[in-house]
Amino acid sequence: MVRRRVRRWLEGHGWPEDPIDDVVLAVHEAVANVVDHAYPPGARGEVAISASLLPDGPHRRRAHVVVKDRGRWRPPPADPGYRGRGLQMVRGCMDVVDIRPGTDGRHGTKLTMLSAAVGTTPAGAGRHPRLRRLHHDLLDGVHRAQQRTRILACAARRLLGTVHRLTGWGLGPGAAPLRRENGTHHVQYVQYVRTL
Amino acid sequence: MTELDNPRPRTWSWHSPILRVVVSADRNGASLRYDVRLVGELDLASVGSLTDALEALRDERPELVVIDLSEMRFVDARGLSALVDIDRDLRAVGGSLVLARPDPHVRRVLTLTAVDTQIDVR
């Protein structure tokens, strides 16, 4: 599941629990929104998640998460059903939310989120004690590159794991192969979730 | 033996990998009450366990359904919709739903989406 991975990622950076809950929920809803609405029923779909930490002053950071699909954006209905609530939750949990529907059939929706700025505790500043002495921007750069790669791989693996658990289709958790395209991991799973 | 002859609550449960739903139906005279415990995470993958567990609700028409949320760690928009649907179905037949003891995170989500203005949260 995406949200366990996001949680562990932020915990590793010493984020307090409540702000973690917010980011986890927002990312979950953004991905759930793709699963439900970006692709027509029965279609094969893809979702790409990338996440990074951005410094905001010397002691604070923001989580920056982008969720992209290649489907067709459909505006939420006037009656706020679960989709309306999902977007309410994304907006309520993050400081900045930007939704850009694709301009042609080939490019899907890009949802960009920026969390509230959070002061991280020194103990959680990193898993590499020696690097802590370096300038915080360099540390951020190192972590950003590492985490971006890790979160993509794990998110894709967990999504396939969920599909496997729900439908029996495909491979179990941890065994999912990843398809790499232009440096981004994609995973084909939407079709199977939709058939539930 | 009919229900009235046997006053002990009936219980049943449904499981998904991330959610356990335990329902206890207690009949006291003519009135029927459901106590539901949700343990784990209520999301688009597990919401089916809740709707399946409460399928009998349409036929039995309990007067009161209390869903204990104290052990529910996560709820998403799909999970909230299931709760709103249960509330709507119950109201249609004169019953009511109470969401009990949500943890602070879940309570915040209920507030954020204004679900706490539709459903009785205690």
Side-chain angles (χ1 to χ4, degrees), chain B residues 9-22:
Chain B
R10 290 173 296 127
T11 63
W12 62 93
S13 63
W14 285 76
H15 300 256
S16 82
I18 55 171
L19 180 73
R20 188 153 54 93
V21 185
V22 185

Side-chain angles (χ1 to χ4, degrees), chain A residues 57-72:
Chain A
H59 303 297
R60 290 157 75 81
R61 296 173 182 190
R62 294 175 186 265
H64 177 256
V65 184
V66 180
V67 176
K68 281 198 286 192
D69 64 66
R70 292 186 182 179
R72 199 173 284 262

Side-chain angles (χ1 to χ4, degrees), chain A residues 93-157:
Chain A
C93 289
M94 295 297 227
D95 260 15
V96 181
V97 177
D98 180 50
I99 301 174
R100 301 206 172 187
T103 49
D104 59 49
R106 287 191 305 137
H107 297 99
T109 302
K110 179 178 177 184
L111 196 156
T112 306
M113 303 174 272
L114 198 58
S115 76
V118 165
T120 51
T121 56
R127 290 172 183 164
H128 312 286
R130 286 181 191 173
L131 282 179
R132 259 185 237 156
R133 273 176 267 146
L134 298 175
H135 191 268
H136 72 89
D137 281 349
L138 176 59
L139 185 62
D140 273 335
V142 171
H143 279 153
R144 218 178 300 158
Q146 286 179 342
Q147 295 297 342
R148 194 190 288 267
T149 308
R150 282 189 207 140
I151 197 165
L152 279 168
C154 289
R157 224 177 276 134

Side-chain angles (χ1 to χ4, degrees), chain B residues 34-48:
Chain B
Y34 277 16
D35 282 286
V36 184
R37 262 175 67 221
L38 298 183
V39 183
E41 304 176 10
L42 179 62
D43 71 359
L44 74 174
S46 66
V47 73

Side-chain angles (χ1 to χ4, degrees), chain A residues 29-43:
Chain A
E29 288 300 336
V31 173
N33 189 59
V34 172
V35 172
D36 272 327
H37 298 285
Y39 299 99

Side-chain angles (χ1 to χ4, degrees), chain B residues 30 32 34 56-65 90 92-93 95:
Chain B
L32 177 65
Y34 277 16
L57 190 139
R58 284 165 196 266
D59 298 328
E60 298 195 341
R61 300 187 171 193
E63 285 179 2
L64 177 63
V65 175
L90 275 171
V93 295

